[in-house]
Amino acid sequence: MHEHADNKETTKSRSLSKRLAYTFAALLLFFAALAAAEIILRVKDVQIHTGDEIYFNRLFYAKVAKSPFQLDEYITLGAKVYPFTPDYYRIENDPTPKKEDEILILCMGDSCAWGLGVEADQTYCSLLPEKLHQRFPQKKFRSLNAGRPGYTSYQGKVLYEKIVPYLKPDFVLFHFGANDYSGAPIRADKDWEHVPLWALKAHRWLYLNARVYQVFTNINLDYMRRRVMHPVSDNLNTNYHPRVSETDFNAYLDFMRENTVKTGARFIVISSVGWHRDKVFKNPYYVNKSLDDADLDAYALFSKVQKEQNHFVDSVHYNALGHQLVAEILADKIAKSLLSGVQLEIKSE
């Protein structure tokens, strides 16, 4: 009886050992295949890019190319907010708080505030101090460009909370919107907060260092984008989100405006616009939005001047002439605000 039981246990043990051996062998083959694929991708220098404007040479809805990798940073790696230093922003030195004898202007925004397509000294943020000094020779003005390409109002709010209490600016400019409504197939900006830090770090490391992981992620991203653009049925379910919803966009804007006003500083919104086929258009979250008297209505401004001369380098970003124009209007707004003590409407005509 005992001998039969021992034989049964021995058989079970051998069966378990075999299953473990098969599992180990299967895992070994799997990782060997991944390693082989990684080597092939690196030797052949195969890159797979994503994006709504890619239509040719597609593999599973993604483009194969031998070219420098184009990282859609915030969609792929999460809504990261960089430290406010010269390494990441168009500022020459580490920023210091407002001094007693100066007026400090903080320009917050995306690549439109950063000045994509123009030199740093051509941006409206850089031009403002001199234009204001011409109006008030007895005053000192300083501006800080806290704009960064790819940022949304969500990242703006996070950055605002980190730097505004320290800097204590007299004016805060808000120039977000171009990225907020863009699609984020993985998750919306604010949802990255719920990803465990270890998982987020692992994802970022793998994406930046493992070509196989990068290729798989990009194919998946672009596949979801294309499925949403061309759904196979009305009930298609995907994880496709805007990076920031319109409700959240308005909430972040209101948060920054209200907290700026509480400190006694002034808040100015520069509405987000684009230019396509000789027409200026409002970016979606500004279509139904009412601007305050203190804000700059970029749609009204550029709708007129574009008829006379081009002020854009592409469909979204101002050229040097556009930045000059925005700086002029902003300088008028700030000047009237300083003279009157309140934020007054300045016509864009």
Side-chain angles (χ1 to χ4, degrees), residues 151-318:
Y151 269 16
T152 64
S153 58
Y154 166 81
Q155 289 156 301
K157 174 183 176 290
V158 175
L159 183 63
Y160 179 100
E161 292 176 305
K162 290 177 182 292
I163 65 175
V164 168
Y166 168 72
L167 294 173
K168 297 179 172 59
D170 297 282
F171 290 87
V172 175
L173 310 186
F174 176 103
H175 197 172
F176 295 97
N179 298 308
D180 291 72
Y181 67 93
S182 63
I186 295 180
R187 51 177 54 85
D189 278 19
K190 68 178 183 180
D191 293 336
W192 285 99
E193 293 177 353
H194 308 304
V195 179
L197 187 59
W198 68 266
L200 191 57
K201 287 183 175 180
H203 166 65
R204 286 175 174 162
W205 187 91
L206 284 168
Y207 190 82
L208 293 173
N209 294 281
R211 193 71 61 89
V212 170
Y213 187 80
Q214 182 187 94
V215 164
F216 172 78
T217 303
N218 281 10
I219 290 175
N220 189 43
L221 280 174
D222 211 41
Y223 176 72
M224 284 195 287
R225 276 177 167 157
R226 300 293 294 181
R227 290 269 288 182
V228 171
M229 290 172 64
H230 306 287
V232 296
S233 71
D234 293 336
N235 298 319
L236 181 66
N237 234 344
T238 72
N239 293 321
Y240 193 88
H241 315 273
R243 288 185 59 190
V244 176
S245 70
E246 186 170 5
T247 299
D248 286 340
F249 173 82
N250 289 326
Y252 300 147
L253 191 162
D254 291 343
F255 170 85
M256 285 184 260
R257 189 194 293 277
E258 291 166 8
N259 280 272
T260 299
V261 172
K262 283 179 184 176
T263 67
R266 283 69 176 253
F267 189 85
I268 299 174
V269 173
I270 304 166
S271 63
S272 178
V273 298
W275 181 58
H276 182 62
R277 294 181 179 176
D278 296 327
K279 288 185 179 180
V280 178
F281 62 89
K282 296 180 181 180
N283 280 325
Y285 291 174
Y286 287 95
V287 170
N288 299 314
K289 186 166 188 60
S290 298
L291 298 173
D292 286 0
D293 290 344
D295 299 332
L296 193 158
D297 186 349
Y299 176 75
L301 175 64
F302 285 104
S303 290
K304 182 176 181 179
V305 298
Q306 276 296 103
K307 297 174 183 177
E308 303 162 0
Q309 192 172 0
N310 179 37
H311 291 69
F312 289 82
V313 296
D314 53 28
S315 62
V316 176
H317 304 100
Y318 314 138

Side-chain angles (χ1 to χ4, degrees), residues 68-79:
F69 176 57
Q70 299 166 349
L71 173 64
D72 202 345
E73 179 181 10
Y74 301 110
I75 290 176
T76 311
L77 300 182

